[in-house]
Amino acid sequence: MLELEDATTNFKDFEVAYKEFETQKVCYLPFNAFILKPSQRIVHYKFLLERLLKLYPAEHIDYQDTQSALEEVNEAVKGVEESIRKLENFQKIIELERDLLGVENLVQPGREFIREGCLQKIDRKGPQPRMFFLFSDILIYTCKGVTLTNQFRVRGQIPLDSVTLENSGPEMHGLYSFTVISEDREFLLAASSEEEKYKWMEDLKRAVKQAKDRVFCGACSQKRSNLAYRTPNMRSTRFLCEECYNVLEQGTCALLCDSYLR
């Protein structure tokens, strides 16, 4: 999907054809959404079969066949669920890039969308409603655009690798506040409920930790990381500087060769 987005940016003729197709009645979704449909269909089959099994009594003539089909579909779903999640997340970022005015290159390798919602940004003028968009490495705040579309105008971006959070205290005039502290500014934000406040704070804490982990090498903790290293068992990713990445890659290759020769 990243290649599709690059093509619409770099090839004018393709961009024109792409946009013309999206204006047709048969295109009832954004074009890139159709790419997800085949994979999403497998998950849909899983839900249908699960519903059927709940309706069928165990002695039903189709019960065993349905159960066998569900087991096979479950195996297929295991292989595509994470890919679907990543594609859907990527699609969301592409859509936001079109809807957020004043931000460029929102689509970045490794960037993930986490959540969006309305918070009050409190300053000397009092509470100001702002729409916030949280990604894995930045927090963007916006205001409603001047047009009648669903677009928002970006008012600021906060890199998460330099952020700290503070719980600002109890309820205040019907709002529940917390503070986002960046390198050069402090932002007093407030949610309309205590539950919403803590959801934002938890998501922000996780995103800030991940963003800071990516800044410095996960092995030597000295140099800035610029490479993602996938562990041999494929269960986790570490962000490393080039020197540590090469050392681990060589070590992994040696282990694999040794295992093969045995």
Side-chain angles (χ1 to χ4, degrees):
M1 198 175 286
L2 183 59
E3 287 82 359
L4 177 63
E5 187 65 14
D6 287 341
T8 60
T9 304
N10 299 324
F11 300 100
K12 191 66 179 178
D13 290 344
F14 182 79
E15 182 185 14
V16 171
Y18 184 104
K19 289 182 177 179
E20 283 181 355
F21 178 75
E22 286 195 329
T23 61
Q24 297 178 23
K25 290 182 178 179
V26 294
C27 188
Y28 55 90
L29 291 171
F31 180 71
N32 53 47
F34 286 102
I35 298 174
L36 297 172
K37 284 296 181 183
S39 297
Q40 289 172 330
R41 185 64 61 183
I42 297 174
V43 179
H44 183 61
Y45 290 153
K46 173 188 172 183
F47 293 146
L48 288 177
L49 290 169
E50 286 174 343
R51 289 179 65 185
L52 277 175
L53 277 180
K54 289 179 180 178
L55 294 173
Y56 287 159
E59 62 275 9
H60 192 280
I61 188 173
D62 292 325
Y63 185 87
Q64 291 298 329
D65 288 342
T66 304
Q67 192 170 46
S68 298
L70 179 59
E71 290 172 1
E72 292 187 21
V73 169
N74 278 333
E75 286 300 312
V77 167
K78 286 179 184 177
V80 300
E81 270 186 326
E82 181 62 15
S83 297
I84 291 173
R85 186 195 69 79
K86 289 182 177 180
L87 283 171
E88 288 176 339
N89 195 281
F90 188 75
Q91 179 191 334
K92 175 68 175 180
I93 297 176
I94 291 174
E95 292 171 0
L96 286 174
E97 188 170 57
R98 297 171 184 174
D99 292 338
L100 300 182
L101 304 175
V103 63
E104 296 181 356
N105 301 319
L106 190 61
V107 176
Q108 296 286 338
R111 175 173 289 166
E112 290 194 2
F113 169 77
I114 298 174
R115 68 176 298 156
E116 63 184 55
C118 184
L119 293 170
Q120 300 290 329
K121 181 173 173 287
I122 302 173
D123 55 24
R124 288 175 295 178
K125 299 177 182 178
Q128 306 287 327
R130 295 286 183 263
M131 192 69 177
F132 282 77
F133 298 87
L134 176 61
F135 299 86
S136 54
D137 59 336
I138 56 171
L139 177 64
I140 293 177
Y141 60 97
T142 69
C143 62
K144 190 66 176 174
V146 294
T147 63
L148 296 177
T149 64
N150 290 325
Q151 292 180 312
F152 294 89
R153 184 164 297 281
V154 174
R155 300 298 298 269
Q157 302 181 44
I158 308 171
L160 297 182
D161 58 20
S162 60
V163 159
T164 57
L165 298 173
E166 286 186 1
N167 188 340
S168 302
E171 179 266 346
M172 177 179 61
H173 304 299
L175 296 173
Y176 298 81
S177 62
F178 61 96
T179 305
V180 175
I181 305 171
S182 66
E183 284 185 338
D184 54 354
R185 290 187 64 185
E186 291 189 13
F187 300 85
L188 182 59
L189 308 178
S192 58
S193 70
E194 190 170 19
E195 180 183 6
E196 186 70 7
K197 166 188 169 177
Y198 284 110
K199 282 182 180 178
W200 270 102
M201 289 193 70
E202 286 303 311
D203 287 339
L204 273 165
K205 284 177 183 176
R206 281 193 293 267
V208 167
K209 183 181 184 305
Q210 290 175 359
K212 288 181 177 180
D213 287 345
R214 290 188 180 195
V215 172
F216 292 103
C217 174
C220 68
S221 301
Q222 301 296 319
K223 301 177 182 178
R224 293 183 70 86
S225 63
N226 54 7
L227 293 168
Y229 175 81
R230 194 73 168 165
T231 55
N233 59 15
M234 301 299 284
R235 291 180 181 175
S236 63
T237 299
R238 299 177 71 187
F239 295 92
L240 308 172
C241 65
E242 187 171 357
E243 184 178 339
C244 292
Y245 179 88
N246 290 334
V247 169
L248 281 176
E249 277 290 283
Q250 291 168 7
T252 300
C253 288
L255 285 173
L256 290 174
C257 290
D258 183 57
S259 175
Y260 177 77
L261 290 173
R262 287 179 185 178

